[in-house]
Amino acid sequence: VRSPMDTWQAVFEFLDQLTVERGLTANTIAAYHSDLGQFVEFTAEAGIESLAAVDLEIIDLYLNGLWSRGLRSSSVARKATALRRFFCFLQQEELVPADLSERIPVPQSPRHLPPFLSVAEVGRLISAAQPLTPRDEDDRRRGLRDAAMLELGYAAGLRVSELISVRVGDLQPKERYLRVMGKGRKERVVPVGGPAVAAVQHYVAEARSAWETRDSGDVLFLSARGAGIGRVQFYKIVRRLAEAIGLGDREPPVGPHTLRHSFATHLLANGADLRAIQEMLGHADIGTTQVYTRVGQERLEEVYRRAHPRAVGSLA
């Protein structure tokens, strides 16, 4: 075992490894920092002076404390997973005498089906982006931009972070494909349909060219001030449009990720191969993509119950 290390120093070494070797995003690193920080504070309050002195009893006390505070199962599972990975790192670096990682319990939270829109609802959402009577020229340009973002996000199944990071040269109109920089700086190429290409070209010609400033860089989607659109800003745009077409009371609320779920669900419903959908979504594990098969199965069961004359009845 290596010489004892300050607990926070060990946390920072772990976070550095996640950043450099695994290429995790800043948001993911911040979540690990927060979760492990709560555990560090717990051990300090319990009088534990080194990580080598932590055992399963201490970890159980910590996790039970989270339950008693009323945290959701998904939140406890996330924090337990962070501890598992942290203690695996500690054992690999010989900072603890035994590997506790596999013995740390992670609650299994129910996997909710991803919310999605029907094809018609996606069409209405995109149509709502462009007002029939814009207030002024910038209002008209904003409509072109919002429609282009919705079209491209749905056409390529993009995460919101990917959509707002698209550069001007990433879309190849003639070949109809988009180069996407996904999680962990992993690049993928996704086909894009004609309506999305046309919407982006219209936006670039009529809006972006008017908003572009010296500081805009090559980011594709800009605000009227010439700065790139942010995550929160785009979320508000989608929420406003959802409310405008009568989808404001959906639970969970309609947001940018709903378009990504709709993309995958519609592809699967129309016969797309699961592996192809995995590649287009940029999922590292096909198990993540397989949740969409449950959506399709539930839809089939609903259609069967509604349409088959002998779908309902006693088994006796």
Side-chain angles (χ1 to χ4, degrees):
V1 178
R2 287 168 54 187
S3 58
M5 179 184 292
D6 173 78
T7 303
W8 271 115
Q9 184 183 348
V11 170
F12 291 136
E13 280 200 10
F14 171 63
L15 297 178
D16 284 343
Q17 185 198 61
L18 294 180
T19 304
V20 175
E21 296 183 12
R22 296 190 58 189
L24 299 186
T25 65
N27 287 341
T28 302
I29 296 299
Y32 272 105
H33 185 279
S34 174
D35 289 341
L36 293 175
Q38 292 177 25
F39 180 71
V40 170
E41 291 174 3
F42 173 82
T43 57
E45 290 172 2
I48 298 169
E49 297 181 355
S50 75
L51 288 165
V54 174
D55 56 20
L56 279 178
E57 184 178 352
I58 294 297
I59 292 174
D60 283 342
L61 283 172
Y62 170 68
L63 295 177
N64 287 334
L66 298 177
W67 286 113
S68 65
R69 281 161 45 196
L71 265 69
R72 292 182 302 177
S73 176
S74 58
S75 298
V76 177
R78 191 192 72 229
K79 294 176 188 297
T81 299
L83 282 180
R84 270 196 173 190
R85 292 176 178 169
F86 180 48
F87 274 90
C88 181
F89 162 81
L90 295 175
Q91 201 278 329
Q92 290 171 349
E93 295 296 314
E94 299 183 343
L95 292 169
V96 293
D99 184 7
L100 300 178
S101 60
E102 292 301 320
R103 296 155 66 194
I104 296 174
V106 177
Q108 296 297 313
S109 55
R111 201 166 191 180
H112 298 292
L113 295 177
F116 66 96
L117 302 178
S118 68
V119 175
E121 287 170 336
V122 170
R124 287 167 52 208
L125 191 71
I126 294 171
S127 296
Q130 299 185 64
L132 295 176
T133 54
R135 296 187 302 272
D136 52 32
E137 191 58 24
D138 268 345
D139 193 36
R140 185 184 73 84
R141 291 168 180 154
R142 276 190 288 268
L144 294 174
R145 178 203 61 203
D146 296 349
M149 292 187 76
L150 292 170
E151 284 276 18
L152 192 61
Y154 173 62
L158 302 180
R159 301 177 177 95
V160 63
S161 57
E162 296 167 348
L163 181 61
I164 64 175
S165 300
V166 172
R167 305 289 164 177
V168 172
D170 290 341
L171 179 65
Q172 301 299 313
K174 290 184 179 179
E175 295 82 2
R176 290 190 179 181
Y177 74 79
L178 178 72
R179 187 169 59 248
V180 182
M181 187 62 69
K183 282 187 175 181
R185 304 293 297 169
K186 293 179 181 177
E187 186 178 288
R188 67 185 189 276
V189 174
V190 184
V192 176
V197 170
V200 171
Q201 289 180 317
H202 195 185
Y203 152 73
V204 169
E206 297 287 328
R208 190 186 186 281
S209 57
W211 288 340
E212 187 177 9
T213 70
R214 190 176 299 175
D215 300 323
S216 295
D218 61 350
V219 65
L220 178 59
F221 295 112
L222 303 177
S223 69
R225 296 181 178 181
I229 294 290
R231 298 167 61 99
V232 174
Q233 188 175 356
F234 186 55
Y235 179 86
K236 289 180 177 177
I237 289 169
V238 177
R239 290 291 299 129
R240 173 177 57 79
L241 295 175
E243 290 174 3
I245 64 171
L247 299 178
D249 57 351
R250 284 284 180 93
E251 278 299 333
V254 175
H257 221 64
T258 312
L259 288 172
R260 178 171 162 87
H261 295 322
S262 303
F263 161 88
T265 303
H266 297 164
L267 281 177
L268 192 64
N270 286 288
D273 176 75
L274 198 62
R275 286 285 182 187
I277 296 174
Q278 176 194 2
E279 289 184 23
M280 286 185 276
L281 289 173
H283 285 160
D285 183 357
I286 197 168
T288 309
T289 317
Q290 283 174 332
V291 69
Y292 295 104
T293 64
R294 290 178 57 203
V295 176
Q297 182 62 34
E298 288 208 347
R299 178 178 167 276
L300 287 175
E301 290 175 1
E302 180 186 345
V303 170
Y304 179 83
R305 286 193 299 269
R306 196 163 11 101
H308 197 284
R310 297 182 68 83
V312 181
S314 172
L315 294 176

